Every structure is written in structure tokens, then in C-alpha cells.
Amino acid sequence: MGSRGASVLLSRASRIKTKLQSTLEASIIEVEDVSHQHAGHAAVKGTQGETHFNVKIVSPKFQGQSLVKRHRMVYDALAEELQSGLHALSIIAKTPEEAAPK
Amino acid sequence: MATINLSPPQITFSCRCLSSSSSSRNAPTLSFYSHFSPSHSSLSVSLKHRNNTIKHRCLITASALKNLSETELVPVPVVPEEVSGKLPSDSGVYAIFDKNDELQFIGISRNIAASLSAHLKSVPELCCSVKVGVVSDPDRAALTQAWKSWMEEHIKATGKVPPGNEPGNATWIRQPSKKKPDLRLTPGHHVQLTVPLEELIDKLVKENKVVAFIKGSRSAPLCGFSQRVIGILESEGVDYESIDVLDEEYNFGLRETLKKYSNWPTFPQIFVNGELVGGCDILTSMYEKGELAGLFKK
């Protein structure tokens, strides 16, 4: 809930984490910046990185939702990031039951 | 006659009894192509066949394989989709006969049904019946040995190499360059649209069963995620349309319009029966769970 100025100082990875945690009540959230893996990408050139992320999120809110719906929930939570240079997300979205070790 | 090539070999064989290209009597160079699912890589091996030096090794796996002449001739289903139900998806050796019961090709495969289905799609006029020899414990050596034994048996019986196995004959291999061209949404940037782009998109996804909006073309994707999607679609063998969202000439404005249309902020995007299925992650997950075949049949 910091001021807009303060949040910009944080890395995109931590902003993603915070937003997903609060919006989706995530019990587990892992965010990894993999922009360097896509360095040759046409759209990445000329940016400061922070374009491609892997996100793993476990949340009870995914219960009963199709994969498409789950991914949309994640995208909606990160709408601002997507408009400011976030380019791609690899999403793993599970409910607590699905994520539990067998 | 359409020819198809499988993608470059991932496994290489080292060839025994391979001599320099000296031509001894009755020494044809034989080749076979394998079909590996799901990546569809191919093997191509050249064996120099010398009539007087071939030794028959007694491998336990090879002896479990019936002789070519003893193996039952089975008709190939006319519809490629029925092949996986009627023929085994196992590894082994297969011999394809045309409508005159002439042996056209002997091949090996890690998934015989998949190989046959592919052949049936590309050269249906040559695939009328087949003999199948499943190889248990199918390591490379066993598969090669099975193939060799059938090949030798045929050559001994007829004095000829099957036409499809002649060196240089590419009838039975797939060429990646023969892919369908990508669709273009508009005739060109300079041409005024009479219909909004959203409507063109809507029409496209509703009129075509499977549509993939990708970065780059299907023969040269420009992004790893798009490439993976194309790989999956090709592997499933489904007929699909591909649209290059980076094409500023024929698909100008597509990226932003499509994001709004699908309410999805990233590419690639895959539509089936007019509905967004998702991006690379979702498609990959469905593919690994075996859900895609059912989805594409609807």
C-alpha cells in the first residue's frame, strides 16, 4: 500500500509477487525473472529487462476454475505491469489440493 | 508425388560394414526412416549390403519377430484417424504394400501407428496394406536388426530393394518446408479495411477449427513459446491456421486488437472452435495430459 513512487522503486518481480499475493490470496507464490533467457527476442531489445517471468502460484481461488480462467485471473491482477513493459508470463496456477505432494 | 521429411535426426547411428563408395556387385545402399513420437525426429542410416558377408546374428529379440513372409498382411484403414485404433502404437518394423500387393517400403518406427498415419496422409495411393512386426525390448540395435532381417528376406526372395528404400528416394520421409502458408488477415496495410479488424478476427476463429496466433511464421517462429505451440500442433497432426502477429504489412494492428478481443495479454494464442484455449502453458499442459486429441475432435 505504499505510495506510487515507492512501489516503482521495487523490482517488477517483487511487485508481481505483492499484487498476486493480495489479489489472489496465494498460499505459495514464486516469481522468477527469466528475461535473460529471451534476450534475443525482438520485443526485448531496447528494454531494461524485466520482460519475461515464470510465476508459480497456489491459491484456493483457483478451485473450480479452468486453466484459461486461472490465467486470466493472474493477468487481470497484473494488468498494470502488462501495460508497462511486462511481456510474457509462464504461469503455473494450482489449488492447494493440486499442489500438495502425493 | 508429395514427399515429406521428418525433422533432423537426433540420434545418429554408426554404421558397421560401411565401406567407401566402391561399387561391389549387388551392394545397394539401403535407407530407412523412423518416426519418433511426439517430436517426430528421423533416423537415416545407410547400410552397405554385401550379399556374401551378411551374418545373421541370433538376437533373442530378433528371433521373436516373425519372418516377413510369415507375417499377416493387414489392410490399412482408409481414414488416417482410424489407424491408431487398428494398428499398434508400438516400436517395430513395418512393410507397406500398394494396391497390387507390391512391397513399396520397409521402415522402422517408435510408433508404428503414427508412422503409418503420416504415410497414409502423404502417399495414400501407395498404402493399401501393411505387415507389422512389433519388436519387444526395442533398443536401437534390435530395431535395426529386425529391419535388416526383413530387408534381407525380401531381397533374397525378389532380388530387389523395395522402391521406397532405394537411395535417394524421399517418398516416405517428411519435408518440414512443405508446411501450409500462414493466413493473412488483410490484403495489405495500404488497403482500407471495410470491416473492423475485430470482426475479421472473429470470423477467422469461427470459420476455422484450430487457429494459432503466433509470433513469426509456422515455418520460422520468432519466439520460444510460439515455437513450442507449433511443435505441438504439428505433432498432433491437426489441420490448423497460423497467423503471424508480428506481420505489420498484412496483420497491422492485430496485436492490440487481438488482446482486446480475447481479453488475453500475451502471445501465442490458440483458438479451437472459436474459443480461446489459452497460450503455450495451457496447450502444453493439455498435450502432456493427452487432452488435445479429444479437444481437436469436437
Side-chain angles (χ1 to χ4, degrees), chain B residues 15-256:
Chain B
C15 307
R16 273 173 289 113
C17 58
L18 195 85
S19 67
S20 59
S21 56
S22 62
S23 51
S24 49
R25 236 176 329 143
N26 282 341
T29 304
L30 305 174
S31 53
F32 65 86
Y33 301 97
S34 297
H35 181 110
F36 288 67
S37 65
S39 58
H40 291 216
S41 55
S42 73
L43 302 176
S44 77
V45 174
S46 293
L47 298 173
K48 278 273 193 230
H49 173 109
R50 299 192 209 197
N51 278 337
N52 54 353
T53 58
I54 290 300
K55 299 171 177 74
H56 283 278
R57 291 179 296 142
C58 292
L59 294 179
I60 295 172
T61 51
S63 64
L65 183 77
K66 279 194 199 153
N67 279 349
L68 181 60
S69 54
E70 289 167 354
T71 305
E72 193 194 345
L73 188 65
V74 171
V76 174
V78 172
V79 177
E81 285 72 18
E82 286 178 17
V83 172
S84 55
K86 303 230 165 84
L87 291 160
S89 301
D90 303 303
S91 305
V93 59
Y94 60 95
I96 300 188
F97 296 79
D98 65 16
K99 59 182 186 294
N100 300 320
D101 285 343
E102 299 272 338
L103 176 55
Q104 284 290 324
F105 178 70
I106 301 180
I108 68 172
S109 173
R110 292 250 175 224
N111 183 334
I112 294 175
S115 294
L116 282 172
S117 180
H119 292 318
L120 186 59
K121 282 179 189 162
S122 85
V123 281
E125 70 281 7
L126 294 175
C127 304
C128 293
S129 46
V130 65
K131 291 189 178 184
V132 169
V134 173
V135 173
S136 47
D137 264 341
D139 61 16
R140 250 188 286 160
L143 287 170
T144 314
Q145 182 58 28
W147 176 84
K148 259 178 74 181
S149 77
W150 275 22
M151 191 60 82
E152 285 160 15
E153 191 189 328
H154 176 78
I155 292 173
K156 198 161 162 202
T158 65
K160 285 189 301 186
V161 171
N165 293 101
E166 294 272 357
N169 184 312
T171 311
W172 302 89
I173 48 173
R174 257 199 331 231
Q175 275 160 13
S177 58
K178 286 280 171 113
K179 282 182 189 162
K180 211 157 108 171
D182 309 305
L183 272 193
R184 294 168 166 170
L185 271 180
T186 75
H189 187 193
H190 56 283
V191 177
Q192 184 92 15
L193 289 181
T194 53
V195 161
L197 197 55
E198 277 218 18
E199 239 179 83
L200 290 177
I201 296 173
D202 188 61
K203 199 159 150 338
L204 185 71
V205 303
K206 296 204 160 105
E207 285 177 359
N208 296 285
K209 193 178 171 77
V210 180
V211 178
F213 293 93
I214 56 173
K215 292 187 164 175
S217 68
R218 73 166 75 189
S219 39
L222 291 176
C223 129
F225 303 121
S226 294
Q227 186 166 41
R228 205 176 312 162
V229 161
I230 295 295
I232 290 175
L233 292 175
E234 291 285 329
S235 161
E236 287 286 308
V238 66
D239 187 33
Y240 67 99
E241 299 303 327
S242 52
I243 293 101
D244 180 0
V245 305
L246 298 178
D247 186 343
E248 295 284 304
E249 177 56 35
Y250 293 103
N251 297 325
F252 182 74
L254 175 59
R255 256 153 51 222
E256 291 317 308

Side-chain angles (χ1 to χ4, degrees), chain A residues 38 41-43 52 67-69 71-72 75-76 82 87-92, chain B residues 215 222-225 246 262-266 276-278 281-282 285-286 289:
Chain A
H38 299 263
H41 217 300
H52 291 67
L67 278 182
V68 177
K69 287 218 181 73
H71 286 210
R72 276 218 175 94
Y75 287 140
D76 287 345
L82 286 161
H87 187 72
L89 284 173
S90 280
I91 303 173
I92 297 179
Chain B
K215 292 187 164 175
L222 291 176
C223 129
F225 303 121
L246 298 178
S262 6
N263 188 18
W264 194 266
T266 57
L276 176 69
V277 169
D281 288 342
I282 295 180
S285 159
M286 292 179 76
K289 290 188 189 151

